[in-house]
Amino acid sequence: MGADSLFVGQRIMRLDQVDSTNSFAMGILKGMPVEEGVVITTAKQTRGRGQRGNTWESEPGKNITCSIILKPTFLDPSLQFDLTRAASLALSDVIADLLPERDIRIKWPNDIYVDGKKIAGILIENVLISNRINYAVVGIGLNVNQTEFSASGTGATSLKLLGQVEFDLNNLLRMICAAVEVRYLQLRAGKTEQLRAEYFNRLFMANIVTRYTDFTKVFDAKILEVTKEGFLVLELTDGSLRRFAMKEVGWVGVTQ
Ligand code: BTN
């Protein structure tokens, strides 16, 4: 392991089972310094965590569930969404490489969709010390060889469902480490505008009028921009603009 990357994935902790690789990573960071690029991966999470307090379900042994420890001390905490962009681009780069015929999109803020179905999710947790990001734990869940999803996972898909072949999990983890390193180094080199532009170009439903909800009513709108801090700006069909943080808006579907 490691030929494709300089530091991400040079050390991999492989756990048979853990509550959550993100929780485990956050736990060790409390107790000791950890070098940048360490990866924690497991075959089975018993309490996998998703965005917005959701759980992340993943059939044991079939998928990628890992956490990558980074030290983006150069990144202003107010611009931490740029790391979300870098991670989303990295994961979508890998999936696009494997499924070149498919339409790979990032659904704001950081879900990866293929042909309209969710294949991967990212959960980033930061350790802040005196207004600096001392560590970021980039948790990645990618559906790989799982072919059946629970009723709550009906909009989900996997690499195997799309590619009709079984994928090697070690190989995939190596690809993810290499891709995260490439995008992270772009971020560290200050190529922020490029990352922002590429992120926007890959967004799911950008420039298409679809139905959203602010959880009090539904409305039709299209994505106008994602601000540098990561807010979603929607243009409603009456021409007005509204700005949303992550938990404030939901996507309902394509307008008929
Ligand atoms: C989401 O789409 O809601 C984000 C899902 C993130 C899941 C991954 S699996 C590895 C890591 N450990 C966790 O507990 N969550 C992330």
Side-chain angles (χ1 to χ4, degrees), residues 79 82 85 89 191-201 226-229:
L79 297 180
D82 285 326
R85 287 182 172 94
L89 283 167
K191 299 208 169 91
T192 320
E193 288 309 326
Q194 184 191 329
L195 289 168
R196 289 176 187 168
E198 283 194 67
Y199 174 88
F200 191 79
N201 288 338
V226 176
T227 69
K228 55 187 193 312
E229 301 84 2

Side-chain angles (χ1 to χ4, degrees), residues 20-22 45 47-51 56 65-67 111 118 120-123 139-141:
S20 144
T21 56
N22 263 44
Q45 287 190 132
R47 289 188 60 186
R49 295 187 290 113
Q51 298 276 353
W56 180 257
T65 44
C66 72
S67 298
D111 289 340
K118 181 165 171 171
I122 299 173
L123 177 67
I140 293 174

Side-chain angles (χ1 to χ4, degrees), residues 57-210:
E57 305 293 343
S58 177
E59 204 179 318
K62 299 251 167 150
N63 302 310
I64 295 277
T65 44
C66 72
S67 298
I68 300 173
I69 297 177
L70 297 172
K71 280 183 76 60
T73 47
F74 57 87
L75 190 63
D76 191 291
S78 68
L79 297 180
Q80 57 185 263
F81 197 76
D82 285 326
L83 181 61
T84 297
R85 287 182 172 94
S88 311
L89 283 167
L91 196 50
S92 62
D93 288 340
V94 171
I95 298 164
D97 255 16
L98 297 168
L99 304 171
E101 312 290 311
R102 304 281 181 166
D103 186 34
I104 320 295
R105 297 272 147 200
I106 300 168
K107 180 165 167 278
W108 176 86
N110 56 7
D111 289 340
I112 312 297
Y113 271 56
V114 183
D115 294 348
K117 289 189 163 191
K118 181 165 171 171
I119 194 166
I122 299 173
L123 177 67
I124 301 183
E125 295 176 291
N126 295 315
V127 179
L128 294 175
I129 294 184
S130 50
N131 204 35
R132 281 267 148 261
I133 307 175
N134 200 34
Y135 290 105
V137 173
V138 179
I140 293 174
L142 168 63
N143 299 332
V144 183
N145 294 322
Q146 182 169 342
T147 53
E148 280 168 22
F149 294 92
S150 65
S152 61
T154 43
T157 190
S158 68
L159 288 176
K160 185 170 178 184
L161 280 174
L162 293 162
Q164 302 301 322
V165 288
E166 195 91 3
F167 287 81
D168 181 277
L169 294 177
N170 286 328
N171 215 11
L172 265 174
L173 184 61
R174 203 171 62 224
M175 289 175 77
I176 290 170
C177 290
V180 166
E181 184 171 295
V182 167
R183 292 296 185 174
Y184 181 67
L185 289 176
Q186 286 181 333
L187 179 66
R188 206 162 78 178
K191 299 208 169 91
T192 320
E193 288 309 326
Q194 184 191 329
L195 289 168
R196 289 176 187 168
E198 283 194 67
Y199 174 88
F200 191 79
N201 288 338
R202 243 177 249 185
L203 267 190
F204 183 62
M205 293 299 171
N207 301 315
I208 299 170
V209 175
T210 58

